[in-house]
Amino acid sequence: MADIPLHRRIYEQLRKHISEGLYIEGSLLPSENELCSLHNATRPTIRKALDRLAVEGFITRQQGKGSIVKGAPKGVGILSITGTTLAIGSEKLDTKTIVKPEIRSWKKAFSFELTELEKEVGCIYFERLRLVNGKPVFFDITMIPNINLPRFVSRNHEIPSLFNMLREQYNIEVKGGEQKIMAVNANKTIQNHFQLKPDAPVIQLDRKIITSKPGFCFYSQVFCNAQEYALYGTF
Amino acid sequence: MADIPLHRRIYEQLRKHISEGLYIEGSLLPSENELCSLHNATRPTIRKALDRLAVEGFITRQQGKGSIVKGAPKGVGILSITGTTLAIGSEKLDTKTIVKPEIRSWKKAFSFELTELEKEVGCIYFERLRLVNGKPVFFDITMIPNINLPRFVSRNHEIPSLFNMLREQYNIEVKGGEQKIMAVNANKTIQNHFQLKPDAPVIQLDRKIITSKPGFCFYSQVFCNAQEYALYGTF
DNA sequence: ACACTTTACTTGTATATACAAGTTGTTCAG
DNA sequence: CTGAACAACTTGTATATACAAGTAAAGTGT
């Protein structure tokens, strides 16, 4: 078996099935006991997977009735742990690299402070424009500490999905993060990318992303053209 | 005992203690086993409380070491389940009623659709301005279906904390919800309340809030002066 | 003094079990 | 036919237990 915990594998499989429409919106998921048999697990394990699906808005649960499928969250689930690629779905998402990955020095990561080690090693910097159904919706700047990422810059000129890339090439899993959300007026650069009028409001997200590699975080600043796509979240 | 589950009571007590600074930021929480003794509970119960604290960013956990106190989330944790009052802390938060609760008819609740029943009964409508440290930061419009809330309008001319009021007067607990997040330019009303220039960007949240009472949801639209206070969340 | 092992902690995962509480359909008396 | 009671489900809560895996400090041998 993989070393990915059982409850996480079950969560991911169920989420995939819901996203793909295998379970119809509004219908009921198999009961917890049925899922136990299906996955050879016990209820607490199944419930841990369902808890997470509920937190992320894929299902709601009703005592006495069952787990009601709500489908993949509408709008953009970018506020959750998933990266942009997963939140939007790669078939709808195009990525255009504005600034290719390069080594830079840094003293701060947007509104987040850095450790001394992070400052010393510098960062890998790149900018991407993300298009949903052909329309530019996200512009994101990413800064990754230049630690133990051999051949990152030379190997990756285009990065369609950072989360997948880190997992596949470096075995680094994203665990979570924190973010600040602001409303700002689009600057010239953003106006150009999103084709907006001056003073158009956009959402700015400053994110610190925590990984499975202890002490290894990376940072991104995302501007969202939230006139077309509202960000969406559950709580 | 109250009918509030044990894991929830433990969660709330720990959160309170962390918020109040009883546990110092960066230090370790008592170990899970110690918490078991303290609260006369077993580890799965304690862990359920800690899971939630971790999701909401009050603690992080490290295997082999312990639960590290991160303190109350900086900025405004309004994206989580807590109401504004709890997210900000009532000592800092003032509430000014702009439109007192009154019965209105409705066909939609902001961007959310209503059921036929909800449309028929109409809603209780009110507007409030929330001031943090004396400065206006939130303007919220609330719409509550007029179902089984006797004497709501006559009894509550001022509503400093809606979540508390529903719990105390009607035994209704907030379970969660969903929200859409947008960036918009402040309209005249908002400009006045927040004392902003024309075209200043603000964050707009459309929220549907789900309660412990089956089928009973309420809705609010919140405008945030996010120039002063960034919204904050973990994922 | 240094490096290695051991030991005693910590959290992470998973099972097995029990009962409470809410929903829904069926059965049965009137 | 109607309505109340019941049975068979569902999820919610909680206990008790076991072992795995990571951390850190104490002990050990060189």
Side-chain angles (χ1 to χ4, degrees):
Chain A
M1 286 288 177
D3 61 346
I4 296 172
L6 181 56
H7 64 82
R8 200 168 193 284
R9 293 205 304 274
I10 295 171
Y11 153 80
E12 284 178 354
Q13 186 183 326
L14 286 171
R15 186 182 65 173
K16 197 174 165 223
H17 287 168
I18 292 172
S19 299
E20 290 171 350
L22 218 143
Y23 295 115
I24 297 160
E25 198 172 324
S27 68
L28 293 179
L29 229 53
S31 78
E32 294 177 359
N33 283 320
E34 287 172 316
L35 290 172
C36 288
S37 314
L38 282 171
H39 294 91
N40 283 311
T42 52
R43 263 191 79 207
T45 305
I46 294 294
R47 281 184 65 79
K48 190 152 187 180
L50 294 179
D51 281 345
R52 187 161 165 193
L53 289 171
V55 164
E56 295 179 7
F58 288 91
I59 62 172
T60 59
R61 288 146 107 189
Q62 194 178 340
Q63 190 177 138
K65 199 171 180 185
S67 298
I68 303 155
V69 178
K70 288 191 69 182
K74 295 149 204 153
V76 174
I78 200 175
L79 298 173
S80 66
I81 195 175
T82 63
T84 311
T85 311
L86 208 61
I88 310 286
S90 53
E91 66 281 4
K92 296 178 189 173
L93 183 74
D94 264 332
T95 301
K96 200 170 148 187
T97 301
I98 305 295
V99 174
K100 286 184 187 176
E102 58 184 41
I103 310 284
R104 290 197 183 182
S105 64
W106 59 348
K107 290 189 178 163
K108 283 193 68 178
F110 314 114
S111 43
F112 300 100
E113 297 297 331
L114 298 173
T115 65
E116 288 306 317
L117 176 61
E118 285 175 325
K119 285 181 202 170
E120 278 174 30
V121 296
C123 72
I124 299 163
Y125 178 101
F126 55 92
E127 298 179 2
R128 296 174 298 172
L129 185 66
R130 323 297 290 268
L131 301 92
V132 180
N133 294 325
K135 289 185 179 174
V137 174
F138 302 104
F139 177 76
D140 60 56
I141 302 169
T142 307
M143 305 210 282
I144 309 177
N146 187 21
I147 306 174
N148 281 328
L149 295 176
R151 291 180 301 281
F152 187 106
V153 172
S154 59
R155 199 155 43 166
N156 303 285
H157 298 295
E158 305 282 335
I159 302 170
S161 173
L162 179 59
F163 285 24
N164 284 343
M165 200 257 280
L166 287 173
R167 177 166 51 227
E168 288 162 13
Q169 294 186 19
Y170 301 100
N171 200 29
I172 293 173
E173 285 275 348
V174 170
K175 272 180 68 178
E178 54 184 288
Q179 58 194 346
K180 296 171 193 169
I181 303 174
M182 290 152 281
V184 299
N185 282 324
N187 63 25
K188 284 259 170 69
T189 312
I190 307 293
Q191 282 171 37
N192 279 336
H193 287 310
F194 290 167
Q195 298 165 13
L196 293 174
K197 294 174 188 169
D199 292 329
V202 294
I203 287 179
Q204 176 186 335
L205 298 173
D206 285 9
R207 318 179 88 192
K208 175 178 180 174
I209 292 147
I210 296 163
T211 70
S212 57
K213 196 183 173 86
F216 183 76
C217 301
F218 61 93
Y219 306 87
S220 76
Q221 185 171 58
V222 184
F223 295 92
C224 313
N225 187 358
Q227 298 184 318
E228 300 264 347
Y229 276 76
L231 299 187
Y232 180 88
T234 54
F235 56 97
Chain B
M1 285 291 173
D3 61 347
I4 296 172
L6 181 56
H7 64 82
R8 200 168 193 286
R9 292 205 304 274
I10 296 170
Y11 153 79
E12 284 179 354
Q13 185 183 326
L14 286 170
R15 187 182 62 174
K16 196 174 165 223
H17 287 168
I18 292 172
S19 299
E20 289 171 351
L22 218 144
Y23 296 114
I24 298 159
E25 196 173 323
S27 67
L28 293 179
L29 229 51
S31 77
E32 294 178 359
N33 283 321
E34 286 172 317
L35 290 172
C36 289
S37 314
L38 282 170
H39 293 92
N40 284 310
T42 53
R43 262 190 81 206
T45 307
I46 295 293
R47 282 184 65 78
K48 188 151 188 180
L50 294 179
D51 281 345
R52 188 160 163 193
L53 288 171
V55 164
E56 295 178 7
F58 288 90
I59 62 172
T60 58
R61 288 146 108 191
Q62 194 177 340
Q63 191 176 142
K65 199 172 181 186
S67 299
I68 302 153
V69 178
K70 288 192 71 182
K74 295 150 203 154
V76 174
I78 199 176
L79 297 173
S80 64
I81 196 175
T82 62
T84 311
T85 311
L86 209 63
I88 310 285
S90 53
E91 65 281 4
K92 296 179 189 171
L93 183 73
D94 264 331
T95 301
K96 201 170 148 188
T97 303
I98 306 295
V99 174
K100 288 185 185 173
E102 58 184 40
I103 309 284
R104 289 197 185 184
S105 65
W106 60 349
K107 289 189 178 164
K108 282 191 70 177
F110 314 115
S111 43
F112 299 100
E113 299 295 332
L114 298 172
T115 65
E116 288 306 317
L117 175 62
E118 284 176 324
K119 285 182 202 169
E120 278 173 29
V121 296
C123 73
I124 299 162
Y125 178 101
F126 56 93
E127 298 180 1
R128 296 175 298 172
L129 185 67
R130 324 295 292 266
L131 300 92
V132 181
N133 294 324
K135 288 185 180 175
V137 175
F138 302 103
F139 177 76
D140 60 55
I141 302 170
T142 307
M143 306 210 281
I144 309 177
N146 188 21
I147 306 175
N148 282 327
L149 296 175
R151 293 180 298 282
F152 188 104
V153 172
S154 60
R155 198 155 45 165
N156 302 286
H157 299 294
E158 304 283 335
I159 302 170
S161 173
L162 179 59
F163 286 24
N164 286 342
M165 200 257 280
L166 287 173
R167 177 164 51 225
E168 288 162 13
Q169 293 185 18
Y170 302 100
N171 200 31
I172 294 174
E173 286 275 346
V174 170
K175 274 180 67 179
E178 54 184 289
Q179 58 194 346
K180 294 171 193 169
I181 303 175
M182 290 153 280
V184 298
N185 282 324
N187 62 25
K188 285 258 169 74
T189 311
I190 306 293
Q191 282 171 38
N192 279 336
H193 287 310
F194 290 167
Q195 297 165 14
L196 293 174
K197 293 173 190 169
D199 292 329
V202 294
I203 287 178
Q204 175 185 334
L205 298 174
D206 286 8
R207 316 179 89 192
K208 175 180 181 173
I209 292 148
I210 295 162
T211 69
S212 56
K213 195 185 173 86
F216 183 76
C217 301
F218 61 93
Y219 307 87
S220 76
Q221 186 171 57
V222 184
F223 295 93
C224 312
N225 187 358
Q227 297 184 319
E228 301 263 345
Y229 277 77
L231 299 187
Y232 181 88
T234 54
F235 54 98

